[in-house]
Amino acid sequence: MADDNDKRTLSYREAAGEGLREALNRDERVFLMGEDVGRYGGCFAVSKGLLAEFGPERIRDTPLSESGFVGIGIGAAVGGMRPIVEIMTVNFSLLALDQIVNHAATLLHMSGGQFNVPVVIRMSTGAGNQLAAQHSHRLEGWYAHIPGIKILAPATLEDVHGMLQPALEDPDPVLIFEHSVLYNLQQEVPAEFSAVDISTARIHRVGSDVTLITYGASLYKCLDAAATLTEQGIEAEVIDLRVLRPLDETTFLNSVRKTRRALIVDEGWRSGSLSAEISARIMEQAFYDLDAPVERLCSAEVPMPYAQHMEQAALPQPEAIVAMIKRMVAGGDGVDHE
Amino acid sequence: MADDNDKRTLSYREAAGEGLREALNRDERVFLMGEDVGRYGGCFAVSKGLLAEFGPERIRDTPLSESGFVGIGIGAAVGGMRPIVEIMTVNFSLLALDQIVNHAATLLHMSGGQFNVPVVIRMSTGAGNQLAAQHSHRLEGWYAHIPGIKILAPATLEDVHGMLQPALEDPDPVLIFEHSVLYNLQQEVPAEFSAVDISTARIHRVGSDVTLITYGASLYKCLDAAATLTEQGIEAEVIDLRVLRPLDETTFLNSVRKTRRALIVDEGWRSGSLSAEISARIMEQAFYDLDAPVERLCSAEVPMPYAQHMEQAALPQPEAIVAMIKRMVAGGDGVDHE
Amino acid sequence: MEKTSPKLTELFDRDTAVERLRQMTLLRRFEEKSAELYSATKIRGFLHLYVGQEAVATGIIPYLNPDDGVVATYREHCHALLKGVSAASIMAEMYGKQEGCSRGRGGSMHLFDAASRFYGGWAIVGGGMPLAAGLALADKMQHTGRINCVFFGEGAMAEGEFHEAMNLASLWQLPVLFVCENNLYAMGTRLDLSEAQTDLSQKAASYNVASRAVDGMDLLQVTEAARQAISHVRSGQGPYFLECRTYRFRAHSMFDAELYREKAEVEQWKQRDPLLSYGQLLQKLGCLDDAALEQLEADVAHEVDEAVRYAEAGSWEAVEDLSRFVYSET
Amino acid sequence: MEKTSPKLTELFDRDTAVERLRQMTLLRRFEEKSAELYSATKIRGFLHLYVGQEAVATGIIPYLNPDDGVVATYREHCHALLKGVSAASIMAEMYGKQEGCSRGRGGSMHLFDAASRFYGGWAIVGGGMPLAAGLALADKMQHTGRINCVFFGEGAMAEGEFHEAMNLASLWQLPVLFVCENNLYAMGTRLDLSEAQTDLSQKAASYNVASRAVDGMDLLQVTEAARQAISHVRSGQGPYFLECRTYRFRAHSMFDAELYREKAEVEQWKQRDPLLSYGQLLQKLGCLDDAALEQLEADVAHEVDEAVRYAEAGSWEAVEDLSRFVYSET
Ligand SMILES: Cc1ncc(C[n+]2csc(CCOP(=O)(O)OP(=O)(O)O)c2C)c(N)n1
Ligand SMILES: Cc1ncc(C[n+]2csc(CCOP(=O)(O)OP(=O)(O)O)c2C)c(N)n1
Ligand SMILES: [Mg+2]
Ligand SMILES: [Mg+2]
């Protein structure tokens, strides 16, 4: 709060921008490249002001050429720079997938360890702003299928600020997915952010009755649901995965072994979502510790509709989390599956 | 066999080619389009001879422009044709992903049901020919995450021949993945192929002790393993999924409820593979019927190496299937997880 | 770019001349109302306005046949209106009502209408071009005599999909008219920061595609060029590339702070407002007097009001129908 | 394409002239041996030979500095050899041995060598171009004075990645030399079936990139043009597009039945074999006699034999190391 000298209130957008500014100041090899990162002020205003501060060489507006400039980022990384490539949204990243999956993810291996690719690729992700089917993908969990790249999903201001630095220090390609509904989120943060890692999941709330596993903007829905549940005598442990590849399975397995129940909340489409992988790993490694089957709450398997009531109906909601958990804790086979 | 009038021996390649020829003969709106489908004779020789038979309008060689000609196929389908678009291999399909995921998969929904997209997209998939990291993807399970498209994985001659016609009759985009190591597979088939559906999984072998769930070329590894296991008194039921989206869960759930144990063999990379989705569904719907945790055998999570011994080590093998099943049936927590 | 305009009387009879003014007025008023409704949160998501560019679509779409196809971008309200999609169904779409032309599933960026062969409404920049070439291939293979027209911004030309679609359309001589609406900016990126070669006709030449560049603020120039381009395409001579130099008077979308251009530049372009200058020309030529102009504005206002009324009166699709239209209902 | 060749004596001293012959001979013999070993199943996967095109890489790569970067395709054995990757480590790579330049993980299509700045060995057509432009951006931003050279076939030019990489390289004036090896076919697809505009210099112009087209069977023409192109790029004037018209004498890969071209066409091109014609020129000019030629062939044969010996003697990587090099070891 403003009256506390060590604290301040910031938006997720500002925290991300601060992370960029610090990275640019810290290392001359770092530059930011993407559509409208400079003169326009950034699609989500994250990079606003950086052009004036660092100039057009280091805040580099690109044409609409996703495959081209992502590939150039990869090449520049191999060539000794530390590019931060911004793809405006995950939807457009499908145009650059060949460069990410066929090139960035394979080079180290194909060259027998000779050429690593220290590129960072940031993009926004997520639904919830009525942007319809071509602007609402949540594919970070899908990207997590690809070996050779690392996938981060910062849900907090601390993470969206702090994950950038370790990502830049990482010798391999790192993709950072910022959820677009979070940009306006305000949180109280310390005057100086502290460092974070890009290898572990984080327990946001300790609980004993059920484990809620999630990532990205759904974290807040899970925390909401946990607050409701506590009033009803159910204590949920809430885990923010933070890193989608490689998964920190120790954290969620330990939690599930303790609570004996788990619900995974994943904004991705259900079939083949990251939630399936987590469920499968719990199956394989904690089956005998379970009191009930692991359940999943995901997005409806539809291209995202524009109308608000339909979009909200397609997304996981706190009420549904609460209802599912109450059924799970009540026991029996009561959860419906479509 | 040659001495039986009603039977003949054919290769998977020839069966696929016969399917194409029949489709072209059956419906004037059908045409085949892709790189080197005509003059070259087809990358895997599947379409060899068709150019002479149907001419360059209907056997249409394209430049190297995956996004362009896949998009043209989508548009031509909307415009009343029934294109079969061939992408030489799944690896190159990453260049066309925007057209497939952002365009073909969304149009029906975004237009409120007005425009369906009756396009068929065929491509080869799979590893096993020492083609290294950029030519060995197995991404059909990954594609199965996307709503709005259907995903087929024909493992038999009957299916590679027969799935094409229902795919062409389907009003929505259908992707057919032919595993490249199968092209030389010879099987005995009837003089006339019979029709197949594109909605159900198929039980290839009935068994009582464990369910082996698989698709594509891994089917044969599972059948091999099942043969070995039977000598050791273990009867495996082998299910070929055939259709990866939408999944026919009834077939595998019923089987697992009977055998109480399941191993999923999936040539995809393990994390986020289709095997995870199947495991999660069994968790959700057959948890209380299980005698042991569902297990998965997938590819190692590495870009595919060139050297043969390394490539084979990266892929699921019959010996590993046998070993895993023996441990599962022996009971206890004996399966190692890396 | 061409320097002189054709004479109005060589292009239009009196009724047509006035009809074009009515059309441009409708486009302008419809979008002004949309902006208002966006501020009132009746319309949500992204809203991209065409204000300033009206002469482009108005000079072209009326010369297509009703069964020709049109493919457009997220900045497509006006193209839809001109192709025959009703103002009411577009407004209802932007409200998210099931009476909308895309049943409320598409919103402003995804207008579709099978009846008028309006094929969207696409929001991946460049993504509509292969689709349009594909529609053209279907028309060619089926000998329908139809052509297809795809609209896109100059920014889209840096995308690989432009390159592939142009080459394929030319290689296969497909009946498709590529219309580049060069409004100088792609969001905040000026043409010279997006294209190493800003003479866009050189790009058309590199695909062996016939081309022409006209003043997109001048309805007469656009009209004359469109008729020629359409007859080129319809006569089977292959694709055509028409560049229309224009300007958007408003922000890229409702979220744009317009940091990337000077107010003075915008003001200068507004001096060439196609609606005003064409209206003045008509008055000067005596095609309509003040009273007729007033009546025209009143008619347009009525149409826009009716559209809003229709949208307001519309209904929400049942949530139970969420999973419809992922696959066809058979 | 240019009609006349420069004089040999204007380009080379005697030693250099002979060295070029030795290089082309090595390329040829190395690949002939590779084909043999493929038939003997020592080499597996895909194998794409460069036979017939040797004058292209030989005319260019020797004029790069050792620390300049080269990016190539799956048809890259010869580019790697010329850039300084040893024949032994290439052969070992194709055997899949861990002594290979990519540790046996890449194979024929994925040769890499950090020491000689040979950046692959890429098998997605067009995919190497953005990478090369990126290396060039790094060099430009770090003021290294280095340039980068990317080789690709004419078929790759239809890909969107070509379009995007050319435009960006030109827009940002990156030090990258684009070398199109126009061998007339992309697998079985002839240039005129792949490009609506077969005059490829028009494409370069559409990105504002300086260009030149030369006879790729003529080492002297290639050499002269390469020196000019390299000095253009190195002096900071931006990218350059060099088209070398050439022909591959052998099948696309070892799986190609060559249904798409006439044997007579191949034979006609073989009349212009760059190795033979250049060798004859040297003899005519008295740069080397029969004995010297014999010695040269013997030296090359020895180098190739040594490479095979090295590959044969190599070892298999331990299976336990399978999951190495997915992520860096830190
Ligand atoms: C592939 C892709 N990349 C980025 C965007 C974000 N975006 C939307 S419109 C736009 C600018 C397009 O400019 P132009 O093609 O000139 O059309 P205009 O908006 O000027 O009409 C951008 C960058 C997008 N929608 N799709
Ligand atoms: C994106 C992509 N599409 C298709 C292929 C299959 N393929 C490999 S080489 C080739 C032809 C390339 O021709 P060109 O660029 O002219 O090079 P050349 O082989 O003649 O040297 C094709 C179609 C591929 N490797 N990558
Ligand atoms: Mg524009
Ligand atoms: Mg070629």
Side-chain angles (χ1 to χ4, degrees), chain B residues 35-36 38-44 48 61-67 88 91-92 95 129-135 300-311 313-314, chain D residues 43-46 93-96 104-107 109-110 122-125 155-156 158-159 161 186-189 193-194 252 255-256 259-260 316-319 321-323 326:
Chain B
E35 288 160 17
D36 294 304
R39 291 158 188 86
Y40 187 86
C43 175
F44 296 94
K48 199 163 157 182
D61 280 326
T62 67
L64 281 140
S65 304
E66 284 79 4
S67 205
M88 207 179 262
N91 311 280
F92 318 144
L95 287 159
N129 288 319
Q130 288 191 254
L131 299 180
Q134 293 195 318
H135 274 68
E301 304 209 34
V302 299
M304 199 51 73
Y306 162 71
Q308 188 175 28
H309 66 299
M310 298 296 264
E311 181 180 42
Chain D
I43 299 175
R44 299 277 72 200
F46 284 149
E93 184 59 34
M94 296 200 287
Y95 268 67
R105 296 194 173 223
M109 301 198 288
H110 304 299
W122 296 92
I124 305 293
V125 172
E159 290 283 4
E161 294 193 333
M187 287 185 60
T189 304
L193 296 166
S194 127
H252 166 74
F255 291 110
D256 172 6
L259 306 173
Y260 48 85
W316 304 114
E317 189 177 7
V319 167
D321 285 348
L322 176 62
S323 54
V326 182

Side-chain angles (χ1 to χ4, degrees), chain D residues 199-217:
Chain D
D199 173 1
L200 303 180
S201 61
Q202 286 226 23
K203 298 194 170 281
S206 81
Y207 308 105
N208 229 336
V209 170
S211 72
R212 200 164 154 187
V214 296
D215 180 352
M217 307 306 268

Side-chain angles (χ1 to χ4, degrees), chain C residues 306-325:
Chain C
E306 283 303 308
V308 175
R309 230 187 308 278
Y310 181 80
E312 288 281 350
S315 53
W316 304 113
E317 188 177 8
V319 166
E320 294 66 50
D321 286 348
L322 176 61
S323 54
R324 291 182 67 189
F325 312 124

Side-chain angles (χ1 to χ4, degrees), chain D residues 47 59 68 73 135 155 159 320 323:
Chain D
L47 183 73
D68 288 336
T73 69
L135 289 167
E159 290 283 4
E320 293 67 50
S323 54

Side-chain angles (χ1 to χ4, degrees), chain C residues 60-209:
Chain C
I60 298 168
I61 294 178
Y63 297 95
L64 296 171
N65 292 342
D67 64 348
D68 287 337
V70 165
V71 177
T73 69
Y74 45 88
R75 196 184 299 289
E76 89 286 30
H77 312 136
C78 296
H79 307 76
L81 283 168
L82 290 162
K83 191 67 176 57
V85 190
S86 76
S89 76
I90 297 173
M91 193 57 85
E93 184 59 34
M94 297 200 287
Y95 268 66
K97 299 291 177 74
Q98 60 183 329
E99 290 77 9
C101 60
S102 304
R103 221 188 152 90
R105 298 193 171 223
S108 160
M109 300 197 290
H110 302 301
L111 306 176
F112 286 93
D113 185 44
S116 47
R117 287 195 183 266
F118 187 74
Y119 290 98
W122 296 93
I124 305 292
V125 172
M129 298 185 204
L131 185 100
L135 288 168
L137 177 61
D139 282 325
K140 181 166 177 157
M141 291 183 81
Q142 295 170 110
H143 310 289
T144 63
R146 295 196 292 248
I147 72 167
N148 298 275
C149 180
V150 55
F151 292 87
F152 51 89
E154 85 299 336
M157 292 175 64
E159 291 283 5
E161 293 192 332
F162 166 79
H163 177 70
E164 298 185 4
M166 284 286 282
N167 183 46
L168 280 157
S170 178
L171 197 61
W172 295 347
Q173 292 286 288
L174 303 180
V176 55
L177 171 56
F178 290 89
V179 179
C180 172
E181 304 202 41
N182 178 359
N183 62 8
L184 284 178
Y185 291 91
M187 284 186 64
T189 304
R190 218 173 45 224
L191 178 60
D192 61 304
L193 296 166
S194 126
E195 289 292 347
Q197 172 57 271
T198 55
D199 173 2
L200 304 180
S201 61
Q202 286 226 21
K203 297 193 171 283
S206 80
Y207 308 105
N208 229 335
V209 170

